[in-house]
């Protein structure tokens, strides 16, 4: 098969990104791998889309993910017909281009929608990704699985929410990733609240969430594939992200460490409450961020850390993922 990964820009990819690991496993299973940047599509007519891609086939020998990415970056771009591509996998981060290329993410989704209409397999579903383009997507799920939340750009609304909680709250951008501009505000820090809201609101809406005491233990990143937990030999594709002392953010590249997660029956019951909707929304690969008995975020664009979960648990989730994708494509195209 020909599998195209839609990313932000090739030169911004890193070898440790989950996308690179996915590409490596797909290549080793004999598939042709393509990287497409958000600026690389060509609209030909209403029946044809092209793209300028960097591609590598199984005839190219690579030993690991670092060598794969190095060789991909050296490949000259080729203009190809997207009608010949079997799978377009959307693996870009909309936040990465929000300031310098505000057009990029929306255009990527539009071209993905066109390709879906033209009969290509696109994951995750671009029509639904438009509805899931920020953290407000979580509000479409049962109330009992979500933390108490307010979304606004108004300081007084945040203050009212803070007073209603009588405890700490978490503030962060509604459209954000990577732990940037995430703050915890306690009742004795109200003098900083207005300034904090203004800082976050520069880039859009602010989301305020109740503080969950279990957050001191970090959060769990739990993966779903086609609405089902990924599990091999009884080991679920999940990891616990534990923040360093004095840090509230559990993002790995903000200094958190990854540990083996303890997946309980309560965890699986919580996950089950969102799985059916995620499947019906066409969210093929999803990362849930879980604290206690609440889901804090649903990551649907480019959830990372699946390879790290595999390394911690001593199983190959990436191999499982690619073989599952092969079957999905066969079913989709009827062969």
């Amino acid at each position: 098969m020909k599998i195209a990964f839609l990313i932000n820009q090739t030169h911004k990819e890193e070898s440790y990104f989950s996308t690179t690991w996915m590409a490596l496993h797909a290549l080793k299973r004999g598939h042709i791998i393509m990287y497409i940047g958000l600026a690389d599509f060509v609209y030909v007519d209403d029946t044809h889309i092209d793209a300028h891609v960097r591609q590598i086939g199984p005839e190219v020998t690579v030993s690991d993910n670092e060598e794969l990415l190095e060789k991909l970056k050296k490949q000259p771009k080729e203009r190809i017909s997207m009608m010949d591509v079997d799978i377009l996998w959307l693996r870009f981060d909309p936040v990465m281009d929000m300031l310098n290329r505000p057009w990029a993410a929306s255009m990527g989704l539009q071209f993905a929608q066109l390709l879906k209409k033209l009969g290509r397999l696109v994951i995750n579903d671009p029509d639904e990704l438009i509805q899931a383009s920020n953290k407000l997507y979580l509000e479409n799920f049962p109330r009992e699985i979500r933390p108490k939340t307010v979304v606004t750009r108004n300081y007084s609304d945040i203050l009212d929410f803070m007073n209603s909680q009588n405890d700490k709250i978490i503030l962060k951008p509604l459209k954000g990733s990577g732990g940037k501009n995430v703050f915890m505000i306690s009742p004795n820090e109200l003098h900083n609240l207005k300034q904090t809201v203004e800082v976050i609101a520069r880039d859009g809406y602010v989301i305020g969430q109740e503080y969950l005491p279990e957050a001191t233990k970090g959060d769990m990143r739990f993966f779903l594939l086609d609405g089902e937990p990924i599990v091999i030999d009884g080991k679920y594709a999940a990891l616990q992200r534990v923040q360093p002392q004095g840090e509230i953010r559990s993002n790995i590249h903000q200094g958190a460490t990854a540990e083996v997660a303890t997946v309980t029956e309560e965890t699986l019951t919580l996950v089950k409450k969102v799985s059916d909707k995620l499947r019906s929304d066409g969210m093929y690969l999803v990362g849930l961020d879980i604290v206690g008995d609440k889901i804090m975020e649903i990551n649907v664009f480019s959830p990372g850390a699946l390879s790290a979960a595999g390394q911690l648990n001593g199983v190959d989730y990436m191999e499982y993922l690619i073989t599952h994708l092969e079957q999905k494509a066969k079913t989709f195209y009827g062969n």
Side-chain angles (χ1 to χ4, degrees), residues 16 230 238 264:
Y16 64 86
I230 303 172
T264 64

Side-chain angles (χ1 to χ4, degrees), residues 10-294:
T10 305
H11 71 272
K12 291 187 176 180
E13 290 294 297
E14 300 287 350
S15 60
Y16 64 86
F17 283 1
S18 291
T19 305
T20 312
W21 285 101
M22 293 171 187
L24 176 65
H25 279 71
L27 183 70
K28 288 188 173 182
R29 288 188 60 82
H31 304 299
I32 296 172
I33 300 306
M34 303 176 184
Y35 272 24
I36 305 174
L38 291 172
D40 289 336
F41 285 112
V42 182
Y43 177 84
V44 179
D45 58 39
D46 59 356
T47 65
H48 203 100
I49 304 292
D50 285 359
H52 297 274
V53 310
R54 301 178 194 275
Q55 64 177 324
I56 285 181
E59 73 281 357
V60 177
T61 302
V62 296
S63 58
D64 55 26
N65 51 321
E66 292 184 3
E67 186 178 8
L68 169 63
L69 189 59
E70 181 183 350
K71 289 189 175 181
L72 262 173
K73 288 182 176 181
K74 290 179 179 178
Q75 291 296 315
K77 287 186 178 181
E78 305 172 48
R79 179 168 169 171
I80 59 101
S81 170
M82 291 300 294
M83 301 302 100
D84 296 330
V85 172
D86 299 291
I87 299 168
L88 176 63
W89 199 334
L90 310 187
R91 290 290 303 176
F92 62 93
D93 181 355
V95 178
M96 188 180 292
D97 287 311
M98 194 165 64
L99 295 180
N100 297 325
R101 301 196 308 167
W103 50 267
S106 60
M107 288 306 302
L109 284 174
Q110 272 193 288
F111 276 108
Q113 284 181 299
L114 289 170
L115 287 165
K116 177 189 171 185
K117 289 178 181 178
L118 291 172
R120 298 295 87 194
L121 175 56
V122 182
I123 54 175
N124 290 341
D125 189 306
D127 295 327
E128 296 298 334
L129 278 178
I130 290 176
Q131 308 303 318
S133 61
N134 59 50
K135 294 177 176 63
L136 203 55
Y137 180 57
L138 180 61
E139 302 305 304
N140 293 296
F141 293 83
R143 182 174 295 180
E144 67 266 21
I145 66 98
R146 302 184 261 117
K148 295 174 184 175
T149 298
V150 65
V151 177
T152 182
R153 296 189 74 248
N154 189 293
Y155 159 70
S156 63
D157 297 332
I158 297 291
L159 181 60
D160 289 343
F161 180 73
M162 178 87 187
N163 291 332
S164 72
Q165 295 304 301
N166 295 317
D167 197 4
K168 308 178 188 76
I169 63 170
I170 299 295
L171 297 180
K172 53 190 175 183
L174 182 64
K175 193 166 187 172
S177 66
K180 182 180 179 183
N181 283 344
V182 177
F183 301 93
M184 180 176 69
I185 305 293
S186 61
N188 62 355
E189 294 173 324
L190 289 180
H191 58 283
N192 292 324
L193 183 60
K194 194 174 195 310
Q195 182 180 2
T196 303
V197 171
E198 289 174 351
V199 167
I200 302 174
R202 289 173 190 164
D203 295 330
Y205 273 84
V206 181
I207 181 168
Q209 291 180 330
E210 68 173 311
Y211 175 75
L212 301 176
E214 297 93 336
T216 57
K217 303 173 185 175
D219 68 7
M220 181 191 301
R221 170 63 60 86
F222 189 100
F223 290 93
L224 294 177
L225 188 62
D226 245 359
E228 296 295 330
I230 303 172
V231 56
I232 300 175
D233 297 332
K235 298 177 181 179
Y236 288 90
L239 53 79
Q240 189 75 15
R241 303 183 300 181
V242 181
Q243 64 268 50
Q245 187 81 21
E247 176 62 76
I248 64 168
R249 297 170 294 183
S250 298
N251 306 85
I252 298 296
H253 64 269
Q254 297 290 353
T257 55
E259 299 179 359
V260 174
T262 302
V263 178
T264 64
E265 285 301 319
E266 288 75 17
T267 306
L268 298 178
T269 298
L270 178 66
V271 169
K272 184 61 180 174
K273 292 179 180 179
V274 302
S275 59
D276 288 345
K277 178 170 173 55
L278 289 170
R279 185 187 303 108
S280 66
D281 284 353
M283 299 302 171
Y284 181 67
L285 180 63
V286 174
L288 305 177
D289 292 345
I290 301 172
V291 174
D293 62 351
K294 304 292 184 186

